[in-house]
Amino acid sequence: MASNPANRIMRDFYHQTETPERPQILGLTASPRTRGKAGELESIESNLDAIARTPKLHREELLRYTFEPELVRLQYQNKSPDASPPADLRKLANLYSNLDIEKDPYIIKCRADPSASDSKQLRKALNSRKTYCQDQIKSLYNKSAAIFEELGSWATQYFIYTTIENFCSKADVDDFSPIHALDDSEKSYLKEILRTIKSPCQKTDDLVQSLKNEDDLRNLSLAGSTCLSAKARCLVDYLASVDTTELTGLVFVQTRAACAVLGQILSTHEKTRNKLRVSTFVGMSSSPNRKFDMGELVDVKNQTDTLEHMRHGHKNLILATSVLEEGIDISACNVVICFEKPPNLKAFIQRRGRARKSRSKYVLMFPEDDNQSQLAMWEQLEDEMRKSYMDEMRKIEYLRAIEDADTAAREFCVQSTGAKITLEDAVQHLYHFCATLPTDPYADLRPIFTFTGTHEGESIKANVSLPNSVDSSVREASSLYEWASEKLARRDAAFEAYIALYHANLVSDNLLPLRGQGDEAVAEAQKSVQKIVSLVDINEQLDIWSSIAREWYNVATIHISTVLITQGGSPWMKMLMILPKPLPNPLEIDLYWDAFKTLKATIEPGLSISQDMINTQAMADCTALLLRSVFPNRMEVDQTDFVAHFVPAEVQDLFPWLEQYRGTFSAESPIEERFANGTAGIIRDLTNNGAPHTFGGLERLHSRMSGQLDGATQSVRDPEIEEENEEEIFIRARRLPKRADFLHAIPLQDCKKVELSSTLLRASECTVDKLPFIYSQFALFVPSILHKVEINMIAEDLRRNLLSSVEFSDLSLVITAISTTASQESTNYQRLEFLGDSILKTMVSLTLLATHVNWHEGVLSHQKDHIVSNANLARACIAKGLDKYILTKPFTGHKWRPLYISNMLSEQVPSTRQLSTKTLADVVESLIGAAYCDGGITKALACLQSLLPATQWAPLDQLCATLNSVYDIHVPLPPPYEPLETLIGHNFKLPSLLLEAITHPSHHGRTPSYQRLEFLGDSVLDRIITVTAFSNTPPIETHTLHLIRTALVNANFLAYHSLTLSTPLPKTSITTNLDGTFTPIEATTPLALWTFMRHSSPAIRTAQAACQIRFQRLAAPIHDTFLSGTHYPWTLLAALEAPKFFSDIVEAVIGAIYIDTGGELAACEAFLERMGVMPYLRRVMWRGEGAVAVKHPKEELGVVADKEGVRYEVFRGGEKGEGLGGGSKEGEGLGGGNKEEEQLGGSNKEEEPGSSTKADEPSSDNDAETVQTGAKKKGELKCRVWVGERMVVEVGAGLSAIEVETRAAEEAVGILKKEKGI
């Protein structure tokens, strides 16, 4: 110890330097004493300037679950003096002593080289006899001799045979890299001389078979009476006597060779082969300087799963070298055997610690002639340990006796519910609360208890720390009293912590963790909402005409609107519409007469006059005349009390007009002039029940020409002419359209079938309406016009009543928002719903965050999910009466009937309709979107307050001010994080916001985790992407909008940009010049956004390194695809497989910027612009040539497969795996895949930016190796895609299910498109 370099450093430098302040360092060791000498511990304390103490806190709990093993002395007979080595060992000794150095390949090679024939290396090799071949034979002999001493003749022969077999087989195939420097001559030389000991015909299998019957010595030429040493037989006999039903054993041996041979003995010996499942474990040095040794029989590649097999019971005995004494996690054993004496006290204690199961045995093997002086010393130590142990157990029993008395009086009760918590159950409650916190694969969510005080003074106090996702005001708690045991102190601290959580409203009145509701009333409401099924009965659509019918009897003023029909911008006709209530706004209606002609009806609200000033009956008669001309079979006889009246605009006195245009006249009268000036009306064929036709021209035909009509003209019949040369008048006519729906265009092919056909009608068999056809044509438009008027009045009723506080200025937005796809209106709510969904989520997130400043992200998410759920929105829709305004009935002209006041006022039975809860929710969201379009976030907030009053909404600036006030403006940004502001492009007024945004849940410190900010940033990002895409010109169709948003908020997409966004960090390196001077070299290294994340998890460092390796491989193709690719890189991003924290930090920074700027979206957009998100968004919004296809391959495959089902079969290696996504159907898992669970980090060390993993290299070589080989150890994932009953494609070499599924879907799409010629 005195000459140890470390001791000399302390002695010569540390103790010789006076320093006022030195760091306080904690070191942990199982035993600081290695030799057991007196004064050794005091010497160590002096040298290290330290104090060695055994920790007493938690000791009582440790002793309850740690069991002292029984010490067993196992003695064996020493070998008999007449025992002689086996013939093969003698051969090997003779071979080594008689090796001719001049025949060594290395010597021959040196002599053949003139430049090296007299070199120093040659002389050294000849004098020392140290060449590779010489060393290998010497090593083989020494190990064989050692095995003979320890294990006997059979073991020696087995070792020699196996070593020679292994070497020769590997040399033949050149399959062992550690001797890559060995040339063919050296291999041949060694094989030749080794085969003088073991001929090729001798098989090791025969030797192994002989051990199964120890008396059978047919294949052995051994001297002496036994093939195993007394020591080996003693071990075999002992293990044979052990009950192996629950055996978990460990045997320590000294050498790797003995470990391998002894493992073979125990695996094949007749006494143990059926009881023991043996494996070996030796050191796994990966040093490139480690030399090859032909005596190495243990293949370290095969021991990778040894410990795991031990844990699961596949193996029950491990033979190991000293590598398993410490530092490796291994299951507790019930038998630990030292085949050789432990070399020192440290090894004795550490090996003993492996035997920690109940009733375990610690076995030491000694020869009979050993004086066991060391054992006596260790037995003394054992007695002292037992005494200490018994003293501790007596104290534990005492503490148990007083616990009940100490805990009886402490309890907390909620009077309103009767819920109670006591000191006894506080710990369980606290653990349950922590289990409900937002999960993270890298964070340990359990409460951490620490203790202060001593057992002797019975003054123990406990402190408890909760995870950093809990609000800092209640994250720490301490026991109220001092206690005599840690258990009681822990209960007290947990009790105080839980009471604090209750007072902070993080625990309900039932003393249960909040799950998204602030009080029990809301909880009950949430339960009722969730009971709403997908289809619900709601009110029938609002009947606006019934209220108008009542207005005719209740108002003294009527309202006249002008209806102007134009064609191609030119006036066509003008009518007046009379109603008892005014139109809410002007209307423009497209009227599709046929596939070639489109008219436009413009309705302008006009005069309001007293009802006494007009002749209501004349208006009714005029309306009846118009409608009866085209809908005679739909009219009630002698009923003219119409809800809406229509009259010609240019007519002052209706009675003369009515007299002039009532009735019909014969078509035989001179009608050319009437048709020429447009005063003739509909032609009615009297031979076909007065079927209406439109005029197409006159023709005069002789009877002899009746059969020679134009072939293109379809004649209903040939004219019957009595006299051969008699001339008659025929009317060329087209049948009047039967449809009454002119709001929807008809396909050209359907129009040609009807509109282009014509017929010849005999004039003598027809009549002509006196009413000019232009009025009849207008009458055909009346059902379409009234439908549009009805829709506008329904929307106006909604605007003036339920949404009066919103003050909509554009009624068309309201109409669009309440129009379902089933209504078949010209617009529907889908685009507005897409927008409103995002606005709603943003406002909910911001409101919850500001209203509940101490809620963790888990409660916030639960409450948000409740508020924005379809069930809750549907319930609010019904409760507010919005359901009656939803338009679901499509307009069908053939079902239209004139609306009569008397019929509308008759008593009607209330009816209901069924609608899905999703549609009800969609209408709520679409109205929010309409309000945003009409007046920004202010009107959207007013709409929220009207439709969802259960939530306490507040103005945006007020919410931001509340959140702004939560953060301390005086907290400075630590210097290591100052480059982060430059990287983000925003100088924070509240630096504490930025610190929180980069703090992972695993971080140990007072700064909260980024989860609350990430909760807000997710909504803000969604809003920016949604509003930008929605506002694009020309408008993007709804389905594509959803695809764009999904692609741009994708976690892997954000993670990629987190990996690429970096800032140069100055870096100075020092080089040494030839003259001994130093020269500084200035350079820069990129520091990426993700490197600033603060965490305390070693597993995160490994995950970052792994992702960085994948990023280096994928960065270039992903960048090229974003820059000029025609498809969104779903497959490449899936292969990136970035852990969630890469995208979380991006969203958290967005949330931090949003709060810091008081809700300025422009600042958040500027950050996204720097990251590259906004440029790519503009690219995917382009819908012209070169547009980017953003549909996910799995969704695209579902479309290409058409009606055939798609199934994904994910498996590992060559076998189909369970639980890996096998059998998943098309459409599942588009956003990500199931990730395998990762270990929690246990380090308390805070990570500074750039300290763990640089942007261009993994944190360490070991980490990189683990990352690269991890997939190979577990087996790479593969995926088969089945379309129908056919397997289309199989892909492999994937790390996750989502990666291989996406890649397989992409390839399957290409295959099917090629087959179908798409």
Side-chain angles (χ1 to χ4, degrees), residues 12-149:
D12 299 339
F13 296 97
Y14 179 88
H15 291 290
Q16 299 299 326
T17 304
E18 294 185 3
T19 303
E21 293 184 3
R22 287 194 172 106
Q24 304 295 313
I25 301 174
L26 172 66
L28 301 176
T29 179
S31 174
R33 302 170 65 181
T34 59
R35 301 178 180 85
K37 294 181 179 179
E40 182 181 12
L41 181 59
E42 291 76 7
S43 177
I44 291 176
E45 289 181 323
S46 175
N47 289 345
L48 293 179
D49 189 19
I51 299 175
R53 290 290 182 267
T54 298
K56 294 186 176 180
L57 298 179
H58 302 288
R59 183 178 177 83
E60 61 186 61
E61 184 175 1
L62 173 66
L63 293 176
R64 291 185 188 181
Y65 302 103
T66 302
F67 304 94
E68 180 189 16
E70 176 188 352
L71 184 61
V72 177
R73 293 186 294 263
L74 191 62
Q75 293 183 311
Y76 57 89
Q77 293 181 352
N78 221 341
K79 71 174 184 176
S80 58
D82 59 344
S84 59
D88 290 323
L89 180 58
R90 294 196 298 272
K91 287 182 182 180
L92 185 58
N94 185 59
L95 171 67
Y96 175 63
S97 61
N98 295 323
L99 278 178
D100 187 354
I101 191 65
E102 291 294 337
K103 295 181 179 181
D104 191 289
Y106 177 75
I107 302 299
I108 295 174
K109 181 179 179 181
C110 289
R111 292 200 183 282
D113 184 359
S115 62
S117 60
D118 195 31
S119 67
K120 181 178 179 181
Q121 289 84 356
L122 176 60
R123 292 195 301 273
K124 180 179 179 181
L126 290 172
N127 293 331
S128 65
R129 301 182 65 86
K130 288 184 65 67
T131 66
Y132 176 80
C133 296
Q134 293 276 339
D135 287 347
Q136 289 298 312
I137 299 300
K138 180 180 180 181
S139 174
L140 178 60
Y141 171 72
N142 291 337
K143 289 183 178 181
S144 301
I147 288 177
F148 171 68
E149 294 292 330

Side-chain angles (χ1 to χ4, degrees), residues 820-840:
T820 65
T821 54
S823 68
Q824 298 181 13
E825 294 298 320
S826 56
T827 59
N828 60 58
Y829 64 61
Q830 289 183 332
R831 275 177 50 85
L832 288 177
E833 181 271 331
F834 170 79
L835 175 64
D837 170 78
S838 180
I839 301 300
L840 172 63

Side-chain angles (χ1 to χ4, degrees), residues 1116-1162:
I1118 293 176
H1119 175 266
D1120 293 343
T1121 304
F1122 282 149
L1123 191 64
S1124 58
T1126 59
H1127 288 72
Y1128 183 87
W1130 287 108
T1131 302
L1132 291 172
L1133 290 176
L1136 182 61
E1137 198 187 0
K1140 186 174 179 292
F1141 56 74
F1142 280 99
S1143 59
D1144 285 347
I1145 193 173
V1146 174
E1147 293 174 334
V1149 169
I1150 294 173
I1153 295 174
Y1154 188 82
I1155 295 176
D1156 192 64
T1157 59
E1160 291 184 11
L1161 287 178

Side-chain angles (χ1 to χ4, degrees), residues 1255-1266:
D1256 57 350
E1257 62 183 7
S1259 58
S1260 69
D1261 293 336
N1262 291 337
D1263 285 342
E1265 181 180 354
T1266 302

Side-chain angles (χ1 to χ4, degrees), residues 602-619:
T602 303
I603 306 177
E604 292 283 351
L607 298 174
S608 297
I609 62 175
S610 173
Q611 191 171 2
D612 298 335
M613 296 177 62
I614 62 170
N615 191 319
T616 306
Q617 187 58 50
M619 292 190 303

